[in-house]
Amino acid sequence: MKAQPKASHFIDGEYVEDEAGSVIESIYPATGEVIARLHAATPAIVEKAIAAAKRAQPEWAAMSPTARGRILKRAADIMREKNRELSELETLDTGKPIQETIVADPTSGADSFEFFGGIAATALNGSYIPLGGDFAYTKRVPLGVCVGIGAWNYPQQIACWKGGPALAAGNAMVFKPSENTPLGALAIAEILHEAGLPKGLYNVIQGDRDTGPLLVNHPDVAKISLTGSVPTGRKVAAAAAANLKHVTMELGGKSPLIVFDDADIDSAIGGAMLGNFYSTGQVCSNGTRVFVQKKIKDAFLKRLKSRTEAIVIGDPMDEATQLGPMVSWAQRQKVLSYIEKGKAEGARLITGGGLPNNVSGEGYYVQPTVFADVTDNMTIAREEIFGPVMCVLDFEDEAEVIDRANGTEFGLSGGVFTAALSRAHRVVDQLEAGTLWINTYNLCPVEIPFGGSKQSGFGRENSAAALEHYSELKTVYVGMGPVVAPY
Ligand code: NAD
C-alpha cells in the first residue's frame, strides 16, 4: 500500500521538496508498513512558507468577507465530493476505521469550511459607539500570519478547524501536521487551492518537535493555535509569551462522565463506550473517568462488558470494523504500560487488558479495556492514557462526585447522564470544564464552541467564538469638532 504525496510540503500554491530535511516515515498503523517517505522542513522551507503567507495575506484581508467565504464554501463542497478518497487517506494516516472516517473526519472538516465561509459576511462586523457629537467605531481585523500545529488523532479535522476560521477572518496560515500523520493536511491544502484560494494563504510544512519552535519563534508569526498535549502546550505558550503572540491551546484531558442511578442505562453505556473507544480512545475530550452511582454499578458493568466484547476489531479498511489500531507503536506501548499500571495498582480488569488475537501482530492494536473499582489516586485515573482504556469509579452521592470529578488538573470536558432535569443542570454547572454534555457525549458540531479550561488550555475552536481568536478589535475615535487644548 502506498500513499506517497507529490512532495513533503505545500507552499505558495504548489508542492515543494527539500531533501535536506530529516526523513519522516508515514506508517500505516494497521500493518506497520511504510506508505510514504517525507522530509521535515528545513529552516529554508519554514522561511519560504512564512514569506509566502506574509506576502499573500494583505490582499486576502482586503477582499470582502463574502468573497473569502465563497472560496471556503467551495472547498467544503469539494471535500464532500471527495469524501471517500479523503476518508481512505485519513484511515491510512491514522489507522482509524473507515466506518468512522467516512462520517467523522473530512465531513467535520468540510463543516468548518462551510460554517466559517457562511458566517464570514456577518460575524466580522464592528460596532458604532456614539459619544455625543464625537463617535467611535470598531473593526475586527485579522492577526496576519497564523500558525496551526496539529495532533495525530484528527489530522484533517484539525487542519480545517484551524484553517476555516483563520482564513475566514482574513489571515494566512502555515500548518504543521503531526509527524505521525503527515498526509491529510496536504490534501486539504490542495482542495483549498482547487476551490480558488489564492496562493500563499494556506501552506503545509512537515516536521516534528524540532520544527514547531521554528514556526512559534518566527517574528512574522502573529498567532499559534496548537492541538497537542499539556507539556507541549506549556512549551509553546511560553515561547509565544516571550514575544506576546496570540495563542489558542487545545490540550489534553481526563474528563469525568457521571452516571446517576436514574439514567437510561443503555444510553449511558453507549455514551461511555463512544467516549472511550471511538478513534481507539484517541480523543482529547474522552470521558475516561466514568463515575457510576453504586446502586447501578453491577448492572452497568455487566452490560458494558458484553457490549465491549462484541466490538469488531480488525482491518480499518473493512467497513464492518469498529476499532482500529493505535496511531503508532510508541502509543501502543504507552497504552499497554498504563494497563499494566492499572492491574498493578489494584484496579479490577473487567475485559480486555492486552492484545487482540484476531489481527496481524504487525499492527498497533490494543483490546478495548475496562477497569472497575478504580480509585481517584490510581495512575490510570489521574493521567491521560489516550487509548481505549475506560476507568469505572463508584460514587454514593452528588456532592461527592462533583468534588471528585473536579479533582484533576485538566478541565477539557465532562458529561452527566441522569433523568432528573434540575440535577443535570446543577451538576454541569459545577463541573470545571470547557465543554459539557447532558445525556450524550463527545458531540462537537461546528456550531458550538469547543475548548478547555484549567490545564486543558484556553481559546475556543468552532462557532463564531473562534473568529475572535483569529482577529482583534481596532478602535477608531472620530473627533467632530475643534481640538480643545489647555496650552
Ligand atoms: P504532542 O503534544 O506530542 O504534539 C502535538 C504537536 O506539537 C505535534 O505536531 C508536534 O510535532 C508539535 N510539537 C511538539 N513539541 C513542540 C514544540 N516544542 N514546539 C512546537 N510544536 C511542538 O501531542 P500528540 O501526541 O500529537 O497528540 C496527543 C495530545 O493532543 C493528547 O494530549 C490529546 O489530548 C491532545 N489533543 C487535544 C485536542 C483538543 O482539542 N483539546 C484534540 C486532539 C488531541
Side-chain angles (χ1 to χ4, degrees), residues 148-153 158 162 176 178 225-234 236 248-253 283-285 334 384 386 410 412 450 455-457 461:
I149 300 180
W152 37 255
N153 55 346
I158 295 171
K162 298 190 189 307
K176 189 199 83 60
S178 162
S225 176
L226 169 78
T227 298
S229 61
V230 173
T232 303
R234 290 200 182 104
V236 172
T248 293
M249 291 284 149
E250 293 292 353
L251 309 178
V283 181
C284 52
S285 50
K334 183 177 160 192
E384 185 184 47
F386 226 56
F410 298 109
L412 189 54
F450 179 77
Q455 296 296 296
S456 294
E461 298 202 293

PDB file of all heavy atoms in Angstrom, residues 148-153 158 162 176 178 225-234 236 248-253 283-285 334 384 386 410 412 450 455-457 461:
ATOM      1  N   GLY A 148      -0.751  26.923  12.618  1.00  0.00           N
ATOM      2  CA  GLY A 148      -1.527  25.834  13.210  1.00  0.00           C
ATOM      3  C   GLY A 148      -0.605  24.640  13.410  1.00  0.00           C
ATOM      4  O   GLY A 148       0.170  24.296  12.512  1.00  0.00           O
ATOM      5  N   ILE A 149      -0.653  24.047  14.586  1.00  0.00           N
ATOM      6  CA  ILE A 149       0.160  22.844  14.849  1.00  0.00           C
ATOM      7  C   ILE A 149      -0.796  21.757  15.305  1.00  0.00           C
ATOM      8  O   ILE A 149      -1.578  21.957  16.239  1.00  0.00           O
ATOM      9  CB  ILE A 149       1.239  23.115  15.916  1.00  0.00           C
ATOM     10  CG1 ILE A 149       2.172  24.242  15.450  1.00  0.00           C
ATOM     11  CG2 ILE A 149       2.045  21.840  16.205  1.00  0.00           C
ATOM     12  CD1 ILE A 149       3.274  24.599  16.438  1.00  0.00           C
ATOM     13  N   GLY A 150      -0.741  20.593  14.639  1.00  0.00           N
ATOM     14  CA  GLY A 150      -1.763  19.577  14.861  1.00  0.00           C
ATOM     15  C   GLY A 150      -1.294  18.354  15.626  1.00  0.00           C
ATOM     16  O   GLY A 150      -0.110  18.022  15.631  1.00  0.00           O
ATOM     17  N   ALA A 151      -2.250  17.690  16.262  1.00  0.00           N
ATOM     18  CA  ALA A 151      -2.037  16.364  16.856  1.00  0.00           C
ATOM     19  C   ALA A 151      -2.379  15.309  15.800  1.00  0.00           C
ATOM     20  O   ALA A 151      -2.836  15.643  14.697  1.00  0.00           O
ATOM     21  CB  ALA A 151      -2.919  16.196  18.090  1.00  0.00           C
ATOM     22  N   TRP A 152      -2.208  14.027  16.173  1.00  0.00           N
ATOM     23  CA  TRP A 152      -2.355  12.983  15.157  1.00  0.00           C
ATOM     24  C   TRP A 152      -3.716  12.291  15.150  1.00  0.00           C
ATOM     25  O   TRP A 152      -3.946  11.395  14.350  1.00  0.00           O
ATOM     26  CB  TRP A 152      -1.258  11.929  15.302  1.00  0.00           C
ATOM     27  CG  TRP A 152      -0.863  11.593  16.706  1.00  0.00           C
ATOM     28  CD1 TRP A 152       0.277  12.000  17.335  1.00  0.00           C
ATOM     29  CD2 TRP A 152      -1.561  10.794  17.665  1.00  0.00           C
ATOM     30  NE1 TRP A 152       0.324  11.515  18.619  1.00  0.00           N
ATOM     31  CE2 TRP A 152      -0.795  10.771  18.839  1.00  0.00           C
ATOM     32  CE3 TRP A 152      -2.776  10.096  17.630  1.00  0.00           C
ATOM     33  CZ2 TRP A 152      -1.190  10.081  19.980  1.00  0.00           C
ATOM     34  CZ3 TRP A 152      -3.178   9.413  18.766  1.00  0.00           C
ATOM     35  CH2 TRP A 152      -2.393   9.412  19.915  1.00  0.00           C
ATOM     36  N   ASN A 153      -4.605  12.665  16.031  1.00  0.00           N
ATOM     37  CA  ASN A 153      -5.844  11.887  16.107  1.00  0.00           C
ATOM     38  C   ASN A 153      -6.892  12.282  15.069  1.00  0.00           C
ATOM     39  O   ASN A 153      -7.680  11.448  14.647  1.00  0.00           O
ATOM     40  CB  ASN A 153      -6.426  11.931  17.525  1.00  0.00           C
ATOM     41  CG  ASN A 153      -6.642  13.334  18.019  1.00  0.00           C
ATOM     42  OD1 ASN A 153      -6.133  14.295  17.442  1.00  0.00           O
ATOM     43  ND2 ASN A 153      -7.394  13.455  19.077  1.00  0.00           N
ATOM     44  N   ILE A 158      -8.432  18.758  12.217  1.00  0.00           N
ATOM     45  CA  ILE A 158      -7.646  19.809  12.875  1.00  0.00           C
ATOM     46  C   ILE A 158      -7.156  20.823  11.836  1.00  0.00           C
ATOM     47  O   ILE A 158      -7.198  22.041  12.058  1.00  0.00           O
ATOM     48  CB  ILE A 158      -6.474  19.206  13.682  1.00  0.00           C
ATOM     49  CG1 ILE A 158      -7.009  18.360  14.849  1.00  0.00           C
ATOM     50  CG2 ILE A 158      -5.546  20.295  14.204  1.00  0.00           C
ATOM     51  CD1 ILE A 158      -5.948  17.530  15.587  1.00  0.00           C
ATOM     52  N   LYS A 162      -8.655  24.749  12.194  1.00  0.00           N
ATOM     53  CA  LYS A 162      -7.786  25.917  12.351  1.00  0.00           C
ATOM     54  C   LYS A 162      -7.835  26.777  11.075  1.00  0.00           C
ATOM     55  O   LYS A 162      -7.924  27.998  11.150  1.00  0.00           O
ATOM     56  CB  LYS A 162      -6.360  25.484  12.672  1.00  0.00           C
ATOM     57  CG  LYS A 162      -6.291  24.712  14.005  1.00  0.00           C
ATOM     58  CD  LYS A 162      -4.891  24.485  14.478  1.00  0.00           C
ATOM     59  CE  LYS A 162      -4.812  23.529  15.671  1.00  0.00           C
ATOM     60  NZ  LYS A 162      -5.659  23.868  16.810  1.00  0.00           N
ATOM     61  N   LYS A 176       1.364  22.919  10.430  1.00  0.00           N
ATOM     62  CA  LYS A 176       2.285  21.783  10.563  1.00  0.00           C
ATOM     63  C   LYS A 176       1.524  20.621  11.179  1.00  0.00           C
ATOM     64  O   LYS A 176       1.141  20.660  12.347  1.00  0.00           O
ATOM     65  CB  LYS A 176       3.471  22.136  11.467  1.00  0.00           C
ATOM     66  CG  LYS A 176       4.534  21.035  11.434  1.00  0.00           C
ATOM     67  CD  LYS A 176       5.486  21.083  12.604  1.00  0.00           C
ATOM     68  CE  LYS A 176       4.946  20.413  13.831  1.00  0.00           C
ATOM     69  NZ  LYS A 176       4.628  18.981  13.702  1.00  0.00           N
ATOM     70  N   SER A 178       1.016  16.716  12.663  1.00  0.00           N
ATOM     71  CA  SER A 178       1.855  15.841  13.483  1.00  0.00           C
ATOM     72  C   SER A 178       2.747  14.995  12.576  1.00  0.00           C
ATOM     73  O   SER A 178       2.334  14.565  11.496  1.00  0.00           O
ATOM     74  CB  SER A 178       0.964  14.931  14.327  1.00  0.00           C
ATOM     75  OG  SER A 178       1.717  13.838  14.803  1.00  0.00           O
ATOM     76  N   SER A 225      -1.962  28.358  17.036  1.00  0.00           N
ATOM     77  CA  SER A 225      -3.037  27.524  17.567  1.00  0.00           C
ATOM     78  C   SER A 225      -2.518  26.094  17.606  1.00  0.00           C
ATOM     79  O   SER A 225      -2.199  25.510  16.573  1.00  0.00           O
ATOM     80  CB  SER A 225      -4.279  27.612  16.679  1.00  0.00           C
ATOM     81  OG  SER A 225      -5.255  26.721  17.164  1.00  0.00           O
ATOM     82  N   LEU A 226      -2.406  25.560  18.813  1.00  0.00           N
ATOM     83  CA  LEU A 226      -1.849  24.212  18.983  1.00  0.00           C
ATOM     84  C   LEU A 226      -2.915  23.237  19.436  1.00  0.00           C
ATOM     85  O   LEU A 226      -3.688  23.529  20.350  1.00  0.00           O
ATOM     86  CB  LEU A 226      -0.745  24.238  20.061  1.00  0.00           C
ATOM     87  CG  LEU A 226      -0.262  22.847  20.521  1.00  0.00           C
ATOM     88  CD1 LEU A 226       0.698  22.227  19.507  1.00  0.00           C
ATOM     89  CD2 LEU A 226       0.413  22.909  21.885  1.00  0.00           C
ATOM     90  N   THR A 227      -2.949  22.069  18.825  1.00  0.00           N
ATOM     91  CA  THR A 227      -3.683  20.942  19.380  1.00  0.00           C
ATOM     92  C   THR A 227      -2.638  19.909  19.755  1.00  0.00           C
ATOM     93  O   THR A 227      -1.904  19.418  18.890  1.00  0.00           O
ATOM     94  CB  THR A 227      -4.680  20.362  18.354  1.00  0.00           C
ATOM     95  OG1 THR A 227      -5.622  21.387  18.039  1.00  0.00           O
ATOM     96  CG2 THR A 227      -5.422  19.177  18.916  1.00  0.00           C
ATOM     97  N   GLY A 228      -2.537  19.612  21.040  1.00  0.00           N
ATOM     98  CA  GLY A 228      -1.496  18.681  21.463  1.00  0.00           C
ATOM     99  C   GLY A 228      -1.588  18.417  22.952  1.00  0.00           C
ATOM    100  O   GLY A 228      -2.618  18.673  23.590  1.00  0.00           O
ATOM    101  N   SER A 229      -0.499  17.928  23.502  1.00  0.00           N
ATOM    102  CA  SER A 229      -0.506  17.534  24.913  1.00  0.00           C
ATOM    103  C   SER A 229      -0.213  18.741  25.814  1.00  0.00           C
ATOM    104  O   SER A 229       0.282  19.770  25.345  1.00  0.00           O
ATOM    105  CB  SER A 229       0.545  16.455  25.139  1.00  0.00           C
ATOM    106  OG  SER A 229       1.811  16.986  24.816  1.00  0.00           O
ATOM    107  N   VAL A 230      -0.462  18.584  27.092  1.00  0.00           N
ATOM    108  CA  VAL A 230      -0.219  19.679  28.050  1.00  0.00           C
ATOM    109  C   VAL A 230       1.274  20.064  28.089  1.00  0.00           C
ATOM    110  O   VAL A 230       1.599  21.265  28.031  1.00  0.00           O
ATOM    111  CB  VAL A 230      -0.764  19.308  29.451  1.00  0.00           C
ATOM    112  CG1 VAL A 230      -0.359  20.366  30.476  1.00  0.00           C
ATOM    113  CG2 VAL A 230      -2.280  19.160  29.399  1.00  0.00           C
ATOM    114  N   PRO A 231       2.206  19.101  28.150  1.00  0.00           N
ATOM    115  CA  PRO A 231       3.623  19.524  28.180  1.00  0.00           C
ATOM    116  C   PRO A 231       4.022  20.342  26.946  1.00  0.00           C
ATOM    117  O   PRO A 231       4.736  21.347  27.065  1.00  0.00           O
ATOM    118  CB  PRO A 231       4.396  18.190  28.230  1.00  0.00           C
ATOM    119  CG  PRO A 231       3.421  17.197  28.781  1.00  0.00           C
ATOM    120  CD  PRO A 231       2.064  17.643  28.327  1.00  0.00           C
ATOM    121  N   THR A 232       3.536  19.930  25.770  1.00  0.00           N
ATOM    122  CA  THR A 232       3.847  20.714  24.561  1.00  0.00           C
ATOM    123  C   THR A 232       3.184  22.087  24.657  1.00  0.00           C
ATOM    124  O   THR A 232       3.784  23.106  24.303  1.00  0.00           O
ATOM    125  CB  THR A 232       3.353  19.972  23.296  1.00  0.00           C
ATOM    126  OG1 THR A 232       3.961  18.687  23.271  1.00  0.00           O
ATOM    127  CG2 THR A 232       3.697  20.715  22.035  1.00  0.00           C
ATOM    128  N   GLY A 233       1.953  22.109  25.163  1.00  0.00           N
ATOM    129  CA  GLY A 233       1.236  23.377  25.312  1.00  0.00           C
ATOM    130  C   GLY A 233       2.002  24.356  26.181  1.00  0.00           C
ATOM    131  O   GLY A 233       2.092  25.543  25.865  1.00  0.00           O
ATOM    132  N   ARG A 234       2.577  23.848  27.260  1.00  0.00           N
ATOM    133  CA  ARG A 234       3.337  24.748  28.146  1.00  0.00           C
ATOM    134  C   ARG A 234       4.527  25.350  27.405  1.00  0.00           C
ATOM    135  O   ARG A 234       4.810  26.540  27.515  1.00  0.00           O
ATOM    136  CB  ARG A 234       3.846  23.979  29.372  1.00  0.00           C
ATOM    137  CG  ARG A 234       2.724  23.597  30.314  1.00  0.00           C
ATOM    138  CD  ARG A 234       3.262  23.289  31.724  1.00  0.00           C
ATOM    139  NE  ARG A 234       2.149  22.888  32.546  1.00  0.00           N
ATOM    140  CZ  ARG A 234       1.887  21.626  32.907  1.00  0.00           C
ATOM    141  NH1 ARG A 234       2.703  20.652  32.564  1.00  0.00           N
ATOM    142  NH2 ARG A 234       0.830  21.344  33.614  1.00  0.00           N
ATOM    143  N   VAL A 236       4.947  25.699  24.099  1.00  0.00           N
ATOM    144  CA  VAL A 236       4.545  26.600  23.017  1.00  0.00           C
ATOM    145  C   VAL A 236       4.012  27.914  23.593  1.00  0.00           C
ATOM    146  O   VAL A 236       4.344  29.002  23.108  1.00  0.00           O
ATOM    147  CB  VAL A 236       3.507  25.915  22.098  1.00  0.00           C
ATOM    148  CG1 VAL A 236       2.916  26.885  21.089  1.00  0.00           C
ATOM    149  CG2 VAL A 236       4.150  24.730  21.365  1.00  0.00           C
ATOM    150  N   THR A 248      -3.933  29.855  20.953  1.00  0.00           N
ATOM    151  CA  THR A 248      -5.066  29.008  21.310  1.00  0.00           C
ATOM    152  C   THR A 248      -4.468  27.660  21.670  1.00  0.00           C
ATOM    153  O   THR A 248      -3.633  27.126  20.922  1.00  0.00           O
ATOM    154  CB  THR A 248      -6.052  28.844  20.127  1.00  0.00           C
ATOM    155  OG1 THR A 248      -6.666  30.108  19.871  1.00  0.00           O
ATOM    156  CG2 THR A 248      -7.136  27.831  20.451  1.00  0.00           C
ATOM    157  N   MET A 249      -4.858  27.125  22.808  1.00  0.00           N
ATOM    158  CA  MET A 249      -4.291  25.864  23.289  1.00  0.00           C
ATOM    159  C   MET A 249      -5.401  24.834  23.448  1.00  0.00           C
ATOM    160  O   MET A 249      -6.251  24.980  24.334  1.00  0.00           O
ATOM    161  CB  MET A 249      -3.630  26.080  24.664  1.00  0.00           C
ATOM    162  CG  MET A 249      -2.396  26.926  24.605  1.00  0.00           C
ATOM    163  SD  MET A 249      -1.043  25.940  23.948  1.00  0.00           S
ATOM    164  CE  MET A 249      -0.107  27.194  23.112  1.00  0.00           C
ATOM    165  N   GLU A 250      -5.401  23.841  22.577  1.00  0.00           N
ATOM    166  CA  GLU A 250      -6.352  22.723  22.687  1.00  0.00           C
ATOM    167  C   GLU A 250      -5.562  21.527  23.181  1.00  0.00           C
ATOM    168  O   GLU A 250      -4.892  20.847  22.407  1.00  0.00           O
ATOM    169  CB  GLU A 250      -6.980  22.420  21.322  1.00  0.00           C
ATOM    170  CG  GLU A 250      -7.875  23.511  20.796  1.00  0.00           C
ATOM    171  CD  GLU A 250      -9.150  23.676  21.608  1.00  0.00           C
ATOM    172  OE1 GLU A 250      -9.411  22.851  22.500  1.00  0.00           O
ATOM    173  OE2 GLU A 250      -9.872  24.648  21.369  1.00  0.00           O
ATOM    174  N   LEU A 251      -5.623  21.277  24.482  1.00  0.00           N
ATOM    175  CA  LEU A 251      -4.696  20.297  25.063  1.00  0.00           C
ATOM    176  C   LEU A 251      -5.430  19.053  25.571  1.00  0.00           C
ATOM    177  O   LEU A 251      -6.547  18.775  25.176  1.00  0.00           O
ATOM    178  CB  LEU A 251      -3.872  20.984  26.152  1.00  0.00           C
ATOM    179  CG  LEU A 251      -3.203  22.305  25.695  1.00  0.00           C
ATOM    180  CD1 LEU A 251      -2.452  22.967  26.822  1.00  0.00           C
ATOM    181  CD2 LEU A 251      -2.281  22.081  24.494  1.00  0.00           C
ATOM    182  N   GLY A 252      -4.800  18.335  26.459  1.00  0.00           N
ATOM    183  CA  GLY A 252      -5.314  17.029  26.864  1.00  0.00           C
ATOM    184  C   GLY A 252      -6.403  17.094  27.923  1.00  0.00           C
ATOM    185  O   GLY A 252      -6.831  18.168  28.341  1.00  0.00           O
ATOM    186  N   GLY A 253      -6.858  15.924  28.345  1.00  0.00           N
ATOM    187  CA  GLY A 253      -7.919  15.872  29.351  1.00  0.00           C
ATOM    188  C   GLY A 253      -7.959  14.551  30.097  1.00  0.00           C
ATOM    189  O   GLY A 253      -7.243  13.589  29.750  1.00  0.00           O
ATOM    190  N   VAL A 283      -9.075  10.424  21.671  1.00  0.00           N
ATOM    191  CA  VAL A 283      -9.877  11.646  21.583  1.00  0.00           C
ATOM    192  C   VAL A 283      -9.634  12.452  22.858  1.00  0.00           C
ATOM    193  O   VAL A 283      -9.776  11.934  23.969  1.00  0.00           O
ATOM    194  CB  VAL A 283     -11.384  11.330  21.424  1.00  0.00           C
ATOM    195  CG1 VAL A 283     -12.195  12.612  21.299  1.00  0.00           C
ATOM    196  CG2 VAL A 283     -11.629  10.430  20.217  1.00  0.00           C
ATOM    197  N   CYS A 284      -9.276  13.722  22.674  1.00  0.00           N
ATOM    198  CA  CYS A 284      -8.890  14.548  23.832  1.00  0.00           C
ATOM    199  C   CYS A 284     -10.016  14.709  24.839  1.00  0.00           C
ATOM    200  O   CYS A 284      -9.787  14.764  26.038  1.00  0.00           O
ATOM    201  CB  CYS A 284      -8.439  15.905  23.345  1.00  0.00           C
ATOM    202  SG  CYS A 284      -9.669  16.654  22.261  1.00  0.00           S
ATOM    203  N   SER A 285     -11.257  14.790  24.348  1.00  0.00           N
ATOM    204  CA  SER A 285     -12.388  15.087  25.237  1.00  0.00           C
ATOM    205  C   SER A 285     -13.005  13.829  25.847  1.00  0.00           C
ATOM    206  O   SER A 285     -14.053  13.905  26.491  1.00  0.00           O
ATOM    207  CB  SER A 285     -13.451  15.860  24.450  1.00  0.00           C
ATOM    208  OG  SER A 285     -13.729  15.180  23.248  1.00  0.00           O
ATOM    209  N   LYS A 334       2.716   2.772  25.157  1.00  0.00           N
ATOM    210  CA  LYS A 334       2.327   3.656  26.262  1.00  0.00           C
ATOM    211  C   LYS A 334       1.002   3.169  26.870  1.00  0.00           C
ATOM    212  O   LYS A 334       0.855   3.075  28.098  1.00  0.00           O
ATOM    213  CB  LYS A 334       2.187   5.083  25.710  1.00  0.00           C
ATOM    214  CG  LYS A 334       1.860   6.115  26.746  1.00  0.00           C
ATOM    215  CD  LYS A 334       1.816   7.511  26.116  1.00  0.00           C
ATOM    216  CE  LYS A 334       1.020   8.451  27.021  1.00  0.00           C
ATOM    217  NZ  LYS A 334       0.690   9.709  26.389  1.00  0.00           N
ATOM    218  N   GLU A 384      -3.641  11.138  31.492  1.00  0.00           N
ATOM    219  CA  GLU A 384      -4.288  10.898  30.208  1.00  0.00           C
ATOM    220  C   GLU A 384      -3.609   9.712  29.520  1.00  0.00           C
ATOM    221  O   GLU A 384      -2.400   9.728  29.304  1.00  0.00           O
ATOM    222  CB  GLU A 384      -4.167  12.151  29.331  1.00  0.00           C
ATOM    223  CG  GLU A 384      -4.914  12.016  28.029  1.00  0.00           C
ATOM    224  CD  GLU A 384      -4.716  13.220  27.107  1.00  0.00           C
ATOM    225  OE1 GLU A 384      -3.572  13.663  26.927  1.00  0.00           O
ATOM    226  OE2 GLU A 384      -5.722  13.687  26.551  1.00  0.00           O
ATOM    227  N   PHE A 386      -4.889   8.186  26.510  1.00  0.00           N
ATOM    228  CA  PHE A 386      -5.069   8.363  25.066  1.00  0.00           C
ATOM    229  C   PHE A 386      -5.076   7.021  24.339  1.00  0.00           C
ATOM    230  O   PHE A 386      -4.347   6.781  23.388  1.00  0.00           O
ATOM    231  CB  PHE A 386      -3.999   9.300  24.499  1.00  0.00           C
ATOM    232  CG  PHE A 386      -4.575  10.337  23.579  1.00  0.00           C
ATOM    233  CD1 PHE A 386      -5.586  11.183  24.002  1.00  0.00           C
ATOM    234  CD2 PHE A 386      -4.137  10.456  22.265  1.00  0.00           C
ATOM    235  CE1 PHE A 386      -6.139  12.131  23.151  1.00  0.00           C
ATOM    236  CE2 PHE A 386      -4.675  11.403  21.405  1.00  0.00           C
ATOM    237  CZ  PHE A 386      -5.675  12.241  21.843  1.00  0.00           C
ATOM    238  N   PHE A 410      -6.808  18.804  34.783  1.00  0.00           N
ATOM    239  CA  PHE A 410      -7.413  19.028  33.464  1.00  0.00           C
ATOM    240  C   PHE A 410      -8.803  19.653  33.594  1.00  0.00           C
ATOM    241  O   PHE A 410      -9.439  19.551  34.646  1.00  0.00           O
ATOM    242  CB  PHE A 410      -7.558  17.707  32.716  1.00  0.00           C
ATOM    243  CG  PHE A 410      -6.259  17.000  32.436  1.00  0.00           C
ATOM    244  CD1 PHE A 410      -5.926  15.828  33.101  1.00  0.00           C
ATOM    245  CD2 PHE A 410      -5.370  17.497  31.491  1.00  0.00           C
ATOM    246  CE1 PHE A 410      -4.732  15.164  32.835  1.00  0.00           C
ATOM    247  CE2 PHE A 410      -4.171  16.846  31.226  1.00  0.00           C
ATOM    248  CZ  PHE A 410      -3.848  15.672  31.899  1.00  0.00           C
ATOM    249  N   LEU A 412     -11.020  19.811  30.333  1.00  0.00           N
ATOM    250  CA  LEU A 412     -11.458  19.906  28.942  1.00  0.00           C
ATOM    251  C   LEU A 412     -12.967  19.716  28.815  1.00  0.00           C
ATOM    252  O   LEU A 412     -13.669  20.552  28.277  1.00  0.00           O
ATOM    253  CB  LEU A 412     -10.710  18.883  28.074  1.00  0.00           C
ATOM    254  CG  LEU A 412     -10.915  19.038  26.569  1.00  0.00           C
ATOM    255  CD1 LEU A 412     -10.588  20.443  26.089  1.00  0.00           C
ATOM    256  CD2 LEU A 412     -10.073  18.032  25.798  1.00  0.00           C
ATOM    257  N   PHE A 450     -15.792  24.912  21.278  1.00  0.00           N
ATOM    258  CA  PHE A 450     -15.100  23.763  21.861  1.00  0.00           C
ATOM    259  C   PHE A 450     -13.744  24.213  22.383  1.00  0.00           C
ATOM    260  O   PHE A 450     -12.996  24.887  21.691  1.00  0.00           O
ATOM    261  CB  PHE A 450     -14.903  22.655  20.810  1.00  0.00           C
ATOM    262  CG  PHE A 450     -14.164  21.470  21.375  1.00  0.00           C
ATOM    263  CD1 PHE A 450     -14.812  20.568  22.197  1.00  0.00           C
ATOM    264  CD2 PHE A 450     -12.810  21.285  21.114  1.00  0.00           C
ATOM    265  CE1 PHE A 450     -14.130  19.498  22.756  1.00  0.00           C
ATOM    266  CE2 PHE A 450     -12.121  20.210  21.668  1.00  0.00           C
ATOM    267  CZ  PHE A 450     -12.788  19.319  22.485  1.00  0.00           C
ATOM    268  N   GLN A 455      -5.703  23.152  33.002  1.00  0.00           N
ATOM    269  CA  GLN A 455      -4.527  22.796  32.196  1.00  0.00           C
ATOM    270  C   GLN A 455      -4.890  22.275  30.805  1.00  0.00           C
ATOM    271  O   GLN A 455      -4.007  21.944  30.014  1.00  0.00           O
ATOM    272  CB  GLN A 455      -3.693  21.738  32.920  1.00  0.00           C
ATOM    273  CG  GLN A 455      -3.096  22.214  34.226  1.00  0.00           C
ATOM    274  CD  GLN A 455      -2.095  23.336  34.015  1.00  0.00           C
ATOM    275  OE1 GLN A 455      -1.063  23.137  33.395  1.00  0.00           O
ATOM    276  NE2 GLN A 455      -2.391  24.516  34.526  1.00  0.00           N
ATOM    277  N   SER A 456      -6.175  22.182  30.504  1.00  0.00           N
ATOM    278  CA  SER A 456      -6.570  21.710  29.167  1.00  0.00           C
ATOM    279  C   SER A 456      -6.519  22.809  28.125  1.00  0.00           C
ATOM    280  O   SER A 456      -6.784  22.540  26.942  1.00  0.00           O
ATOM    281  CB  SER A 456      -7.966  21.084  29.221  1.00  0.00           C
ATOM    282  OG  SER A 456      -7.934  19.912  29.997  1.00  0.00           O
ATOM    283  N   GLY A 457      -6.208  24.029  28.540  1.00  0.00           N
ATOM    284  CA  GLY A 457      -5.960  25.064  27.553  1.00  0.00           C
ATOM    285  C   GLY A 457      -6.879  26.251  27.624  1.00  0.00           C
ATOM    286  O   GLY A 457      -7.658  26.400  28.569  1.00  0.00           O
ATOM    287  N   GLU A 461     -12.326  26.737  19.716  1.00  0.00           N
ATOM    288  CA  GLU A 461     -12.454  26.436  18.301  1.00  0.00           C
ATOM    289  C   GLU A 461     -13.938  26.298  17.983  1.00  0.00           C
ATOM    290  O   GLU A 461     -14.768  26.088  18.878  1.00  0.00           O
ATOM    291  CB  GLU A 461     -11.697  25.140  17.955  1.00  0.00           C
ATOM    292  CG  GLU A 461     -10.206  25.300  18.241  1.00  0.00           C
ATOM    293  CD  GLU A 461      -9.301  24.354  17.487  1.00  0.00           C
ATOM    294  OE1 GLU A 461      -9.371  23.144  17.758  1.00  0.00           O
ATOM    295  OE2 GLU A 461      -8.509  24.828  16.645  1.00  0.00           O
TER     296      GLU A 461
END
